[in-house]
Amino acid sequence: MSVLDRKFNYSSNKAYTKPFLFTCNLILNTIILLLALKIKLFTFENWLFPFTLLSLVQLFINLITISKLEKRFLSLTNLFLIFSYITHMGILVIFGFKIDIELPWNPLVSITKDTFKDACFFAVLCHAFLTFGMCIVLFKRKTYHLGSTSTNFKEENFQLYLARTIGIILVLIGIVPMLYIDISRVILFISGNYLDTYKVGVNGFVVIISRFAEIGAIMLLIGNHKDKKKAHFILFIIVIYESIVLFTGNRGRPIMFLLTIFFIYNNLIKRVGFKQFINSVAVVYLLGFLLTFIGQIRMLSIRDFATITDLFKKSFMEFSIFKILADFGATIISLGYSLVFFPQTTSFQLGSNYLVSLLTIFPNVGGLLVPIINKTVYINNWPANYREFLGGSYLGELYYSFGDFSFIFAVLIGMFIAFISNKVQESMIVKNYVSLSIYLILFPNILWWTRNYFVGMVREFVWIAVVILILYSIISKVPKRSSGG
């Protein structure tokens, strides 16, 4: 039995820990929220430190609870909680601990102190309900025992063959538009700066086609995970390519994609032990330094090599985790603006913004979908001068939909994320690698949803999943002897 299977073969005498964990998390989050309400009455300066501590304690408690229920730390649920905290509470940590660091985006220039407090409290409130939703699903997770999954060698081999074959086809479909988009961004970055990389001007549907190559690479990695040499070669190519994309300043998508790749590596190819963990920490530190460096140079001309060299040295000497928090933590502004502008600029959507997102799976012929896109991308409903350079926030989007009671609906988001996490784990255990690949389409998109929009994952998931299912249907009809070896 594999390490992954053993993780899920927990005995019945530990079953009592589930309701115990569930109850403890509920009680502790309730206490945290009550304390947060009490100190919310403090002046801004007196509020910062205790609220920062409360938010960190909440994160710690929630991660422990989810880790126990998931039987692992590295999971979609935990990663989402971490990224949600970094993007919405990162600046709070810097302010709360009085970290002397230059902020690329200072929220207090854009929103008032009271709005900042309201946004932080709303985030803590939503994190409590988000975790509650996750616990509901994980509490009912099916327990797998030894022998309960009877995938035989022939069936597994055929699944590996399907993953490899479909993966190759997807790469061939997406490789040309992907290279065109990324090479164009590199050229624009070299000739200008980070913001110029958004001038590629490619149709959104072409972008979706380019994503086929990424999912194809994931399927190739999964399909070759038993051949360590091939798997490591594919991993090497992916990391090198995404690192090049990172240097254009477009960090979000590559980071989430690389996290997905690491998740596959850790679960299917090689479990990360203590020594590997130390090496990984060193790599993460180096990556963090590079991200900070990229964040500094992306607004400069690449031709200014002397300045870039100085910034490289400065970044190497001064890099810390707080720089990452400062860089990604500006999402709190997007949430703050939602609290300020809605429902003044437009009425609350009552969930319709999520539902109409499904219509975006169709091409935007003749601009017919423009009203729908404006409805789903909530920042389009702010005054025009407030939208520049700001991305989304799944919490800001939630408030745009349900207003003051939106935190309750964070339960549904938590349930959705835990459901996908369950399906990912189940697919790995039963060795259904095609299903695993389909669920992994959502993996990087869900993580990036923390500072994006729900609509951002809908079209990509539907189109790629449909193509995978069509290819699966066709290839499955080919005699299974083709899958040998």
Side-chain angles (χ1 to χ4, degrees):
M1 184 171 60
S2 69
V3 173
L4 183 60
D5 291 324
R6 287 198 298 271
K7 288 286 184 182
F8 282 80
N9 189 27
Y10 40 91
S11 59
S12 59
N13 64 353
K14 291 185 179 180
Y16 73 91
T17 60
K18 281 189 174 184
F20 177 75
L21 285 168
F22 201 166
T23 304
C24 282
N25 185 272
L26 184 60
I27 293 172
L28 291 173
N29 265 299
T30 300
I31 293 172
I32 288 170
L33 292 176
L34 291 174
L35 289 173
L37 270 174
K38 183 177 179 61
I39 66 174
K40 195 169 182 284
L41 301 174
F42 295 179
T43 63
F44 183 79
E45 288 70 22
N46 292 332
W47 166 85
L48 272 175
F49 182 69
F51 192 86
T52 302
L53 284 182
L54 270 181
S55 70
L56 284 169
V57 169
Q58 183 194 49
L59 176 65
F60 185 68
I61 290 170
N62 290 343
L63 290 177
I64 290 176
T65 303
I66 298 301
S67 296
K68 292 291 185 180
L69 292 174
E70 285 268 21
K71 299 297 178 182
R72 64 187 64 243
F73 178 77
L74 185 62
S75 64
L76 176 61
T77 44
N78 266 345
L79 288 173
F80 188 86
L81 284 171
I82 291 170
F83 273 99
S84 182
Y85 189 88
I86 289 173
T87 53
H88 292 92
M89 314 295 281
I91 300 294
L92 174 71
V93 172
I94 291 172
F95 286 165
F97 288 102
K98 298 182 179 178
I99 307 299
D100 185 16
I101 189 173
E102 183 179 352
L103 297 176
W105 305 87
N106 188 341
L108 299 183
V109 174
S110 303
I111 56 179
T112 66
K113 291 180 178 180
D114 285 340
T115 300
F116 183 83
K117 286 172 66 176
D118 290 340
C120 288
F121 177 78
F122 182 79
V124 165
L125 183 61
C126 286
H127 286 160
F129 280 78
L130 177 79
T131 306
F132 180 70
M134 291 176 175
C135 288
I136 290 173
V137 174
L138 296 176
F139 183 82
K140 296 182 178 181
R141 166 178 274 179
K142 182 179 178 181
T143 303
Y144 290 88
H145 298 284
L146 181 62
S148 65
T149 58
S150 55
T151 305
N152 61 42
F153 179 76
K154 188 176 181 180
E155 290 172 341
E156 182 181 4
N157 261 7
F158 188 57
Q159 280 287 318
L160 292 170
Y161 162 75
L162 287 170
R164 291 194 299 269
T165 306
I166 296 174
I168 291 172
I169 296 172
L170 292 184
V171 170
L172 292 175
I173 291 173
I175 189 70
V176 173
M178 183 184 74
L179 287 174
Y180 172 77
I181 292 171
D182 290 336
I183 290 173
S184 297
R185 281 175 174 165
V186 170
I187 292 172
L188 287 169
F189 178 69
I190 291 174
S191 60
N193 60 43
Y194 158 69
L195 294 179
D196 290 328
T197 63
Y198 287 97
K199 299 177 182 178
V200 175
V202 177
N203 181 278
F205 194 72
V206 176
V207 174
I208 296 300
I209 299 300
S210 72
R211 302 290 195 220
F212 280 70
E214 288 185 352
I215 305 304
I218 286 175
M219 296 191 76
L220 283 174
L221 188 62
I222 293 171
N224 290 282
H225 79 267
K226 291 199 169 185
D227 186 333
K228 306 303 181 188
K229 185 176 290 187
K230 285 184 180 179
H232 282 99
F233 176 75
I234 294 169
L235 181 68
F236 175 76
I237 296 298
I238 291 172
V239 171
I240 292 298
Y241 185 87
E242 294 298 328
S243 297
I244 293 172
V245 177
L246 271 171
F247 273 100
T248 66
N250 292 273
R251 296 159 298 170
R253 179 76 187 193
I255 292 171
M256 304 310 162
F257 182 66
L258 287 173
L259 274 173
T260 307
I261 294 300
F262 179 74
F263 178 84
I264 296 168
Y265 180 85
N266 184 62
N267 284 281
L268 292 181
I269 300 171
K270 186 178 181 181
R271 301 289 294 182
V272 177
F274 180 74
K275 185 180 291 186
Q276 290 81 12
F277 175 76
I278 297 300
N279 292 335
S280 297
V281 170
V283 171
V284 168
Y285 182 88
L286 178 61
L287 180 62
F289 153 69
L290 290 175
L291 289 176
T292 302
F293 175 62
I294 292 167
Q296 291 176 338
I297 70 169
R298 64 182 185 171
M299 294 301 294
L300 299 174
S301 170
I302 196 68
R303 290 165 292 186
D304 191 357
F305 290 108
T307 302
I308 290 175
T309 301
D310 291 340
L311 284 173
F312 188 90
K313 293 177 181 177
K314 182 179 179 182
S315 297
F316 186 78
M317 296 298 294
E318 297 182 0
F319 167 71
S320 71
I321 189 64
F322 299 112
K323 286 187 178 289
I324 297 177
L325 295 177
D327 207 14
F328 282 86
T331 305
I332 194 68
I333 301 174
S334 295
L335 172 56
Y337 280 162
S338 281
L339 300 181
V340 170
F341 291 128
F342 301 129
Q344 283 76 18
T345 58
T346 190
S347 59
F348 295 124
Q349 301 301 296
L350 303 178
S352 61
N353 55 309
Y354 297 106
L355 293 176
V356 299
S357 296
L358 300 176
L359 296 176
T360 63
I361 64 175
F362 303 107
N364 186 20
V365 179
L368 291 176
L369 295 179
V370 170
I372 292 175
I373 292 172
N374 287 336
K375 185 182 182 71
T376 57
V377 180
Y378 72 93
I379 71 169
N380 288 342
N381 295 283
W382 297 343
N385 57 315
Y386 288 91
R387 305 173 197 167
E388 196 171 11
F389 305 132
L390 280 179
S393 155
Y394 83 104
L395 295 182
E397 182 178 57
L398 191 63
Y399 186 82
Y400 162 66
S401 191
F402 297 107
D404 291 336
F405 297 99
S406 53
F407 62 90
I408 298 172
F409 294 90
V411 173
L412 298 179
I413 294 178
M415 293 176 68
F416 166 68
I417 295 168
F419 172 79
I420 299 300
S421 182
N422 273 354
K423 289 298 181 181
V424 167
Q425 302 296 348
E426 180 184 336
S427 298
M428 286 191 289
I429 292 168
V430 301
K431 299 177 174 58
N432 189 335
Y433 299 123
V434 175
S435 291
L436 172 62
S437 303
I438 291 174
Y439 288 118
L440 286 176
I441 299 170
L442 289 171
F443 201 101
N445 284 290
I446 286 175
L447 295 180
W448 192 235
W449 187 21
T450 56
R451 60 183 308 183
N452 199 21
Y453 318 95
F454 178 76
V455 69
M457 73 177 86
V458 174
R459 180 189 283 187
E460 180 176 331
F461 174 74
V462 171
W463 275 93
I464 300 178
V466 167
V467 171
I468 289 175
L469 290 173
I470 291 172
L471 292 172
Y472 173 80
S473 177
I474 295 171
I475 298 170
S476 293
K477 294 177 181 178
V478 178
K480 290 191 176 183
R481 57 186 174 82
S482 301
S483 64

